[in-house]
Amino acid sequence: MIEKRWLGNIGVNVVNQQEALQAVSEKLQKKEKTDVFFLNDHCYNLAQKDKEYKKIINNSDLLLNDGIGVEVGAKIYGFQFKENLNGTDFIPALFDRLNKIKEQKFRIFLLGAKPGIAKAALDRLGSQYKHLEFVGEHHGYYDHTKSNDIIDTINQRKTDVLLVGFGMPLQEKWIAEHRSQLNCTVTLAVGAFIDFSSGTVNRAPSIFRKLRLEWLYRMAKEPKRLWKRNLVGHFLFFYYMFKQRLSKTKAKA
C-alpha cells in the first residue's frame, strides 16, 4: 500500500518514481482501472476554490507530487516527498518500463493539444518505443459536451493507457466524468506532455530543470498566459499552506 499524507486538505501519495512505476505497471498487467494525476501548487489552488475538483483529485488512485512548491508545502506539514514526480519525466519513464515487458504489448491513445500536435506526438513516440502500440489520437479543441464518439474510438482501439492533456482542471474533470464509459485500464492527466512529445514545444534547458525552475522558463516564454498563475499562484499557495496549518494547530489545541 502506497503511503498517503495530507497536504492541507489534499491527500497526496509519498512514493519514489520506481515505486510509482511498479504500481502502475502492476495495475496494467492485472487490468485494474487506475487514474494517475499530478499535484502542483496550481492544482492545489484550483482545488481550494472548486469543491468538485478537490473531490476528484482526492479520489484519484495515485496523486503524485509535482514541483518545488508542494515539496516546500510538505515540510510545513512535517513530512517530505521522496523525489519530484512531474508528468513530463514520469510518463517517458513509464513508457520505458512498459516497453521492456515483452510478454505483453500495451496500447496507448493520446487525447489533447491543438489539431495536428497529438498526431505528431503519436508518430514520434511510436518511433521511440517499438514494443508499445500507439493506437490513436485526437486533439483537445472540440466540443467537450460531445465526447461519446471519441470515447467509442478509444474503446474500439482496445486502449490500455489513455493520456489526457487538456490542462488543469479540465483534464481531471473529463476523466472523472467519463471514467465509467472508458474501458482503458490507466488514465493519466498529462498537461503539456503531448505538446512536448510532438517536438513543437521545447522543455526548459537542463539547468532550469536541475534548479527546479522549469516554471520560470515557461513563464518567460509565455508571460501573458502564465505570469498570474505562477507569480500570484505561488503566493496564494503558501497562503493556503500556512492558513490551513494554523487552523489545524488551533483545532488540536
Side-chain angles (χ1 to χ4, degrees):
M1 188 70 177
I2 295 176
E3 180 186 9
K4 179 174 279 193
R5 297 291 298 268
W6 286 95
L7 186 65
N9 53 21
I10 305 294
V12 59
N13 295 100
V14 179
V15 61
N16 64 35
Q17 179 171 278
Q18 288 306 311
E19 291 167 337
L21 292 173
Q22 179 68 22
V24 175
S25 60
E26 286 180 358
K27 294 291 186 181
L28 274 166
Q29 290 173 293
K30 295 176 182 177
K31 294 192 178 296
E32 296 178 1
K33 283 191 172 185
T34 302
D35 300 329
V36 183
F37 300 158
F38 297 88
L39 179 72
N40 58 26
D41 51 1
H42 178 58
C43 173
Y44 192 96
N45 290 345
L46 291 172
Q48 304 315 301
K49 300 176 181 179
D50 187 336
K51 291 182 180 180
E52 176 196 4
Y53 185 55
K54 180 170 69 177
K55 181 178 180 181
I56 287 169
I57 60 175
N58 272 330
N59 286 340
S60 62
D61 299 289
L62 201 58
L63 184 62
L64 303 178
N65 60 291
D66 172 9
I68 194 167
V70 292
E71 183 178 308
V72 175
K75 292 178 181 179
I76 294 171
Y77 279 84
F79 70 95
Q80 63 182 34
F81 293 109
K82 297 181 179 181
E83 62 181 296
N84 185 47
L85 295 174
N86 70 79
T88 310
D89 292 324
F90 181 81
I91 296 161
L94 176 63
F95 287 170
D96 282 332
R97 187 184 187 96
L98 299 180
N99 199 51
K100 295 173 184 175
I101 302 176
K102 302 306 181 185
E103 64 272 18
Q104 195 170 351
K105 204 165 187 177
F106 297 100
R107 300 167 66 85
I108 297 158
F109 195 103
L110 310 182
L111 176 59
K114 294 179 180 178
I117 300 299
K119 178 62 168 64
L122 194 81
D123 293 341
R124 284 167 59 97
L125 291 168
S127 66
Q128 186 176 356
Y129 302 100
K130 300 294 187 180
H131 193 67
L132 301 180
E133 291 188 44
F134 291 85
V135 297
E137 52 78 25
H138 198 284
H139 65 81
Y141 287 71
Y142 70 93
D143 182 352
H144 286 195
T145 64
K146 300 176 181 178
S147 293
N148 287 340
D149 289 345
I150 294 171
I151 292 169
D152 287 343
T153 300
I154 293 167
N155 290 339
Q156 288 164 7
R157 302 283 171 87
K158 297 181 179 179
T159 301
D160 296 303
V161 179
L162 173 64
L163 308 188
V164 182
F166 296 156
M168 298 173 176
L170 186 57
Q171 57 196 11
E172 293 87 1
K173 287 187 173 184
W174 189 93
I175 291 170
E177 180 182 355
H178 300 291
R179 196 59 174 105
S180 63
Q181 297 170 263
L182 291 162
N183 296 335
C184 55
T185 303
V186 170
T187 68
L188 295 108
V190 300
F193 174 78
I194 297 173
D195 295 284
F196 293 137
S197 299
S198 72
T200 59
V201 178
N202 294 324
R203 285 193 70 184
S206 59
I207 185 64
F208 281 85
R209 282 180 266 165
K210 287 178 182 178
L211 293 173
R212 311 291 294 280
L213 293 173
E214 191 165 7
W215 64 271
L216 183 60
Y217 177 85
R218 291 185 65 191
M219 186 178 71
K221 299 283 283 187
E222 299 182 83
K224 289 184 179 180
R225 186 173 76 87
L226 294 176
W227 78 268
K228 187 174 181 179
R229 164 180 161 173
N230 285 332
L231 293 183
V232 178
H234 289 329
F235 284 108
L236 185 61
F237 172 75
F238 286 108
Y239 164 76
Y240 287 132
M241 286 290 97
F242 286 110
K243 179 183 178 182
Q244 292 170 5
R245 181 62 176 163
L246 183 61
S247 296
K248 188 175 180 180
T249 301
K250 287 183 177 179
K252 284 184 177 180

